[in-house]
């Protein structure tokens, strides 16, 4: 695909495009309507965007995916859902497809669009194994299309016992999975698109793990081939490593491709031999055979820059090899030429520069230069203006370069050129020497006239024959070796290479090859362009047929080159060429990857014993466009050379992948190296990561992991792992989608039931990145604010108030939250209770005889949310105006009135009664108490079955019952040929209908040897089923198919004890009802019965257990818990969620458990919990134990008088203060004038108290007590405080004095302390503040004011500010702040409250 590029040279006549765009336009014109497409990069991972047009109008765009579907693993029978959100203008059309078949079954695949969320949804209902596939979503408009995909894996559910045989059969037929050698052979030979299908056939589910193992196996195979020194090629001649040579050309542009080494530029030429030295044709040809690229590296790397804001910053680097272009990146994105950045390259292509213009704070970050696999990075630090006064003035812009000693980059580049030129001259001299020795050896061999026949092939190499020709071609895979032939490289018709037409090459392809058995050679494939029409290599045979063979060779070479070369480099490749290229590249993908990180340097040695100048055996191949090889014979012309193999070092088998994490959750990055002994380092945005409470760095052999324990927004960024000079990078995007607390969501999901006319309230708290869009729905319709609906929204919760609810408001209530990171929904139910609607008519008369009228009706359509308890029935005789109240009947919609007169007509009124009220009345039509009439004949009987001693017959009841119900039937029979009928049953023994099935069959008691069944007798329905006269209980073991009766004679009770069972066996049970009409259908238990005692969920029987106790240190702690459970449960005690220590004694008995600490210590304080668990469930109970002692008194007490009329009491803390967080102090005052002690302050958690209202001239005394849960300590007394009343002296002249300004800003004398309180207890916070004027005090929790909150008691007495939390709960946790503010300033003090469970 073509990629868009920026235009660097705009023209004035028309809008200019890049060369790629111009080529696409030209291609569209030439191809006659066939349009080229442009591949556009998407910001969403996993999305492929194809652009159909070059120019997109302003305001329009190609389709793209804002969110892609997630792959799912779903159980069989469930619903699979894929959701996407698309964007684009015009609005794209979204379609879904699957890889293995169409999506046409509307019952199975449901595609829809949710307008409220903008999501396109594909639902697959009742999934099965046939739906396991890859599903693609296409979004297309007139400017392009976007594609993303997801995988659905269906897990077959075969846990039911009936599927055991199917599972067993399937397990026998299933292949061996990843342990099967056939599986790996198929995977190694298959195309990438067939990986998923092969894994499905062999029952392999973890495709990601299989791909990793497949990479390792391919690398292992390539490594084995490398060690064997073989290069295999297929029978069709497709070979990954070929060597193509042609004739001499006028412009011999040597094109070299070195994959993975940075030499991958196809549009520009690299002048590899631009060293300032003129090369002859022979030298260039010889040098081309020995040319070896080494790894491109940096001689001078880019350095850190510190630039002033507004200046330019210049990065520069020097390479070891000339490259026309390297990649510059800044802060993770690729930089290109533009208004902000300027990228320049020197003439010799060794010096590369990046200029950042007009630096500002946004440009600060890490910048990198990438040349092949080598890279270097440096920081750009942008400093603000040092002189604030000159911030707004314009000044001359300077260019900042690297600090330190100045480096002459041009001088270093010239030295590098000279160094490379000297290396090439040495290589050229060595090649010439070997070439001359090879020619002399060939002439000596020819003059000897041995029996071995030496012939020359088309390439000019000698081939020895000893009876048989060497190197006979084979179609199967074989060994290949050889070098370019140096014979006849010059041509009299062509001159030497000039300076402007020297031997240059553009980077084309670099392929590593291994040849021969005695030595290994690495070569590069050279494709020479503009080949001449005739070959310049003269060939001669030993018989002197030089001319004839030369003409033959010229025609053959000309035909091959015409097939191989293409005049137009921009000509589109045919389908055959494309397929051949793909197959070729795929077959060598693993071999190239294993050799990608290295480039061998070879030093060829002359082998004096060789008969030819170069070893060359077999045939060389020139591959045409169709991929079919054409063989040409070559002779060996040179000595063998040896490879110097360099180990590629540690590399990544599996790199990092981008991760989308949720805030406050765990995120993990994982990569795998090829070595287990290599250490690495993790970086985030260029800074090294050290393990701490947020980051966990681990490695398991070759697998390295970085775990972010609790993600935060600041953890988003680019993460890099470096090891042995290699690195891999990935992005972590920490998102903060809306989410609910589990407990709040569970409470919200409970149905809300209100009566009609009352209000319903729904509220729910949530977390998530702001802003959060909140929407409420009722039965799918969005709710908006109106007279009956009020919606309150805030940053952390939302509340819905539905006023004056009606019965029609009953239904589903849903809240939907959405922000830029995702969305979430919560569903509840609203039930509005109201009186029922009237019963449904018309009434149906089931019997109308002279003695009774029986009729029935239908229940109300809406019972108002409560079941019908009774029906109120009233009767009116036709012709009268009064209604007679018959009374209330049970909630069965039928009534039988026996108080009727023959021939009279009656009307009835019926009302339904529920717990919420009485319905409206339903009035029936007239009903008449008719006369007696005989029923009609039943339908003719039919023979059901016949035996030797009995015949079973059946018939249908009569259509006309005569106004009364059928009591039974009389059956008669006669023999065939006789007219005499005889009764089968007597008249007083009528044949009745068989009973119906019993109901509510269940097991009420069970043991290891018996269980008890109970059931409800079947209903008596006239003409349908009669009353049951008895019951039979049948049983069968699970392994048997035959039923056996437990009672030989029928029983009349509705319970039965089945005895004689085997312990722990499974039994199936059923009950059959019988009467004179026959047996009913059997009623069977839904599940088998296990012969064990009935399980009982653990339950605590002592409801007076204490949840809190205080124990004096040294005393014993004893907690006894009584419970009941069956079977015997497992009992476990834990302290603060940790198993208790050995010094705690646990005693378990039948139905109770006891925890005992013989001698308690303060460290034994904590929450002790007991967990009782069996197969029926579990139960837990917790008790908080506080071990403490009588507090020790506080230290010495000191009195200070800083303000007239007040005294500050200061004392040393009690020694127990550090060991008891609930220790507090109480201060008492003694006024000697009054003679009694009064408490002036209590529950003080600090060591200072200010006492007010001190009268001058009186004597005071103070005491301080320490107090905890155990009691009060002895007091610490203060010295006597004596206040003398000073007498004023009469002064004749009043001296002038300067008034003292007592005003001051608020300051906290005593700050808040850290508090940790148990759940359900009180928490008291206090501090002292001073300030003049008196400051205004405000308390905050999590920056929310608490002054108006009734759950907190707040007081401020003479600067002592206190707050009391009445009952501490989880919602009270957080940061508490007190703010004191007056006209002169503001002061704050904070603390944190934690709640212990």
């Amino acid at each position: 695909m073509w990629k868009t590029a920026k235009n660097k040279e705009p023209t004035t006549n028309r809008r200019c495009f890049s060369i790629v765009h111009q080529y696409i336009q030209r291609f569209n014109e030439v191809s006659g309507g066939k349009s080229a497409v442009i591949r556009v990069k998407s910001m969403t991972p996993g999305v492929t965007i194809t652009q159909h047009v070059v120019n997109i109008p302003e305001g329009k765009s190609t389709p793209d995916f804002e969110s892609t579907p997630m792959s799912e693993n779903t159980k069989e029978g469930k619903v699979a859902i894929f959701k996407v959100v698309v964007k684009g203008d015009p609005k794209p059309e979204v379609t879904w497809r699957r890889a293995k078949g169409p999506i046409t079954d509307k019952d199975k695949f449901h595609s829809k669009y949710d307008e409220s969320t903008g999501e396109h949804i594909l639902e697959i209902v009742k999934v099965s194994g046939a739906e396991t596939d890859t599903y693609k979503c296409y979004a297309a408009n007139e400017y392009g299309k976007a594609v993303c995909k997801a995988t659905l894996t269906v897990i077959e559910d075969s846990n039911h016992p009936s599927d055991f045989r199917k599972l067993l059969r399937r397990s026998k037929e299933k292949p061996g999975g990843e342990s099967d050698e056939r599986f790996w052979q198929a995977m190694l030979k298959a195309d990438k698109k067939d990986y998923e299908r092969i894994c499905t056939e062999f029952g392999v589910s973890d495709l990601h793990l299989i791909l990793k193992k497949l990479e390792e196996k391919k690398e292992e195979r390539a490594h084995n081939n490398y060690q064997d020194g073989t290069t295999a090629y297929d029978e069709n001649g497709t070979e990954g490593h070929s060597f193509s040579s042609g004739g001499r050309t006028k412009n011999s542009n040597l094109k070299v491709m070195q994959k993975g080494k940075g030499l991958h530029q196809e549009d520009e030429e690299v002048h590899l031999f631009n060293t300032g030295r003129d090369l002859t044709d022979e030298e260039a040809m010889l040098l081309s055979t020995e040319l070896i690229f080494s790894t491109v590296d940096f001689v001078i790397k880019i350095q850190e820059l510190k630039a002033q804001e507004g200046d330019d910053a210049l990065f520069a680097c020097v390479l070891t090899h000339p490259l026309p272009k390297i990649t510059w990146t800044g802060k993770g994105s690729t930089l290109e030429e533009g208004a902000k950045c300027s990228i320049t390259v020197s003439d010799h292509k060794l010096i590369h520069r990046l200029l950042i213009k007009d630096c500002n704070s946004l440009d600060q970050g890490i910048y990198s230069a990438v040349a092949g696999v080598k890279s270097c990075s440096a920081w750009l630090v942008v400093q603000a203006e040092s002189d604030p006064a000159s911030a707004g003035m314009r000044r001359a812009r300077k260019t900042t370069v690297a600090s330190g000693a100045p480096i002459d980059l041009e001088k270093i580049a010239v030295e590098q050129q000279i160094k490379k030129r000297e290396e090439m001259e040495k290589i050229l001299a060595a090649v010439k020497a070997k070439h001359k020795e090879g020619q002399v050896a060939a002439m000596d061999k020819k003059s000897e006239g041995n029996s071995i026949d030496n012939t020359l092939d088309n390439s000019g190499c000698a081939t020895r024959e000893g009876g048989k020709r060497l190197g006979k071609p084979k179609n199967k895979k074989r060994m290949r070796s050889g070098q370019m032939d140096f014979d006849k490289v010059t041509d009299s018709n062509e001159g030497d290479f000039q300076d402007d037409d020297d031997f240059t090459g553009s980077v084309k392809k670099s392929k590593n090859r291994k040849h021969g058995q005695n030595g290994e050679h690495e070569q590069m494939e050279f494709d020479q362009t503009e080949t001449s029409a005739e070959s310049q290599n003269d060939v001669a045979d030993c018989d002197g047929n030089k001319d004839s063979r030369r003409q033959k060779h010229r025609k053959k070479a000309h035909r091959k080159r015409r097939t191989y070369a293409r005049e137009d480099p921009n000509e589109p490749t045919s389908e055959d060429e494309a397929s051949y290229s793909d197959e070729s590249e795929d077959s060598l993908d693993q071999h190239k990857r294993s050799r990608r990180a290295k480039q061998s340097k070879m030093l060829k040695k002359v082998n004096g014993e060789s008969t030819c100048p170069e070893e060359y055996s077999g045939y060389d191949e020139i591959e045409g466009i169709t991929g079919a090889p054409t063989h040409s014979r070559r002779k060996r012309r040179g000595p063998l050379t040896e490879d110097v193999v360099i180990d590629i070092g540690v590399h990544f088998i599996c790199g990092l992948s981008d991760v989308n994490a949720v805030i406050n959750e765990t995120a993990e990055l994982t990569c795998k190296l090829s070595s287990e002994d290599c250490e690495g380092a993790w970086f985030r945005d260029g800074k090294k990561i050290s393990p701490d409470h947020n980051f966990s760095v681990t490695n398991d052999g070759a697998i390295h992991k970085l775990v972010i324990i609790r993600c935060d927004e600041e953890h988003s960024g680019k993460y890099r792992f470096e090891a042995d000079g290699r690195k891999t990078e990935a992005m972590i995007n920490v998102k903060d989608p809306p989410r609910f607390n589990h407990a709040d969501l569970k409470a919200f999901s409970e149905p809300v039931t209100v009566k009609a006319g009352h209000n319903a309230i729904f509220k729910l708290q949530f977390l998530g990145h702001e802003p959060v869009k909140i929407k409420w729905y009722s039965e799918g319709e969005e709710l908006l604010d109106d007279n009956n609906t009020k919606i309150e929204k805030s940053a952390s919760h939302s509340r819905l108030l539905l006023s004056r609810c009606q019965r029609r408001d009953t239904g589903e209530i849903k809240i939907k939250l959405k922000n830029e990171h995702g969305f979430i929904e919560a569903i509840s139910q609203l039930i509005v209770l109201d009186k029922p609607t009237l019963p449904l008519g018309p009434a149906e008369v089931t019997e109308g005889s002279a003695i009774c009228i029986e009729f029935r009706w239908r229940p109300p359509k809406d019972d108002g949310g409560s079941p019908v308890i009774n029906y109120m029935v009233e009767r009116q005789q036709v012709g009268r105006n009064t209604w007679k109240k018959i009374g209330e009947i049970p909630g069965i919609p039928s009534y039988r009135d026996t108080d009727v007169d023959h021939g009279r007509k009656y009307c009835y009124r019926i009302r339904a009664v529920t717990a919420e009220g009485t319905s409206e009345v339903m009035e029936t039509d007239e009903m008449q108490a008719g006369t007696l009439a005989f029923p009609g004949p039943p339908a003719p009987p039919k023979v059901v079955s016949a035996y030797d001693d009995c015949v079973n017959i059946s018939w249908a009841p009569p259509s006309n019952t005569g106004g009364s119900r059928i009591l039974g039937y009389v059956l008669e029979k006669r023999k065939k040929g006789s007219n005499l009928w005889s009764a089968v049953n007597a008249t007083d023994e009528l044949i009745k209908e068989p009973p119906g099935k019993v109901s509510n069959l269940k097991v009420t008691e069970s043991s290891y040897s018996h269980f008890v069944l109970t059931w409800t007798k079947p209903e008596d329905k006239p003409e349908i089923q009669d009353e049951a006269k008895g019951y039979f209980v049948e049983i069968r073991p699970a392994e048997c198919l035959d039923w056996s009766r437990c009672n030989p004679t029928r029983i009349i009770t509705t319970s039965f004890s089945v005895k004689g069972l085997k312990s722990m066996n499974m039994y199936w049970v059923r009950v059959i009802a019988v009467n004179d009409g026959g047996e009913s259908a059997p009623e069977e238990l839904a599940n088998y019965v296990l012969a064990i005692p009935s399980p009982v969920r653990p339950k605590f029987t002592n409801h007076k257990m204490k949840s809190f106790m205080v124990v004096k240190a040294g005393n014993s702690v004893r907690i006894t818990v009584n419970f009941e459970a069956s079977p015997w449960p497992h009992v476990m005690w834990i302290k603060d969620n940790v198993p208790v220590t050995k010094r705690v004694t646990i005693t378990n008995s039948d139905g109770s458990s006891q925890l005992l600490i013989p001698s308690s210590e303060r460290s034994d304080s904590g929450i002790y919990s007991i967990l009782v668990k069996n197969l029926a469930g579990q139960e837990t109970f917790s008790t908080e134990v506080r071990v403490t002692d009588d507090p020790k008194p506080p230290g010495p007490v000191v009195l200070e008088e800083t303000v007239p009329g007040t005294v500050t009491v200061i004392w040393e803390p009690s020694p127990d203060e550090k060991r008891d967080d609930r220790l507090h102090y109480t201060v008492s005052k003694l006024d000697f004038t009054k003679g009694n002690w009064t408490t002036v302050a209590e529950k003080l958690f600090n060591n200072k108290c200010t006492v007010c209202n001190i009268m001058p001239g009186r004597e005071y005394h103070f005491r301080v007590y320490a107090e905890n849960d155990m009691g009060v300590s002895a007091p610490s007394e203060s010295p006597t405080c004596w206040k003398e009343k000073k007498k004023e002296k009469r002064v004749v002249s009043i001296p002038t004095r300067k008034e003292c300004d007592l005003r001051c800003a608020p300051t906290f004398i005593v700050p808040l302390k850290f508090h940790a309180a148990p759940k359900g207890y009180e928490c008291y916070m206090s501090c002292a503040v001073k300030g003049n004027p008196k400051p205004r005090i405000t308390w905050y929790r999590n920056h929310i004011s608490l002054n108006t909150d009734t759950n907190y008691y707040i007081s401020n007495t003479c600067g002592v500010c206190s707050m009391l939390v009445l009952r501490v709960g989880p919602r009270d946790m957080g940061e508490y702040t007190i703010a004191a503010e007056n006209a002169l300033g503001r002061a704050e003090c904070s603390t944190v409250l934690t709640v212990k469970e």
Side-chain angles (χ1 to χ4, degrees), residues 1173-1212:
K1173 181 179 180 181
N1174 64 3
L1175 57 87
Q1178 66 180 23
E1179 195 68 32
T1180 182
F1181 179 77
S1182 299
T1183 300
E1184 182 179 1
V1185 177
R1186 179 172 294 276
V1187 181
T1188 184
D1189 204 347
D1190 292 331
K1192 296 181 181 179
V1197 180
V1198 180
L1199 303 179
E1200 291 183 359
E1201 181 183 3
T1202 56
V1203 179
T1206 62
V1207 172
T1208 301
V1209 183
I1210 304 174
W1211 62 90
E1212 293 294 329

Side-chain angles (χ1 to χ4, degrees), residues 1098-1105 1121-1125 1151-1152:
K1099 181 176 64 175
F1100 296 109
T1101 58
N1102 185 6
H1103 300 289
K1104 296 182 180 180
M1105 293 184 295
V1121 177
N1122 298 324
F1123 58 85
E1124 61 180 14
S1152 66

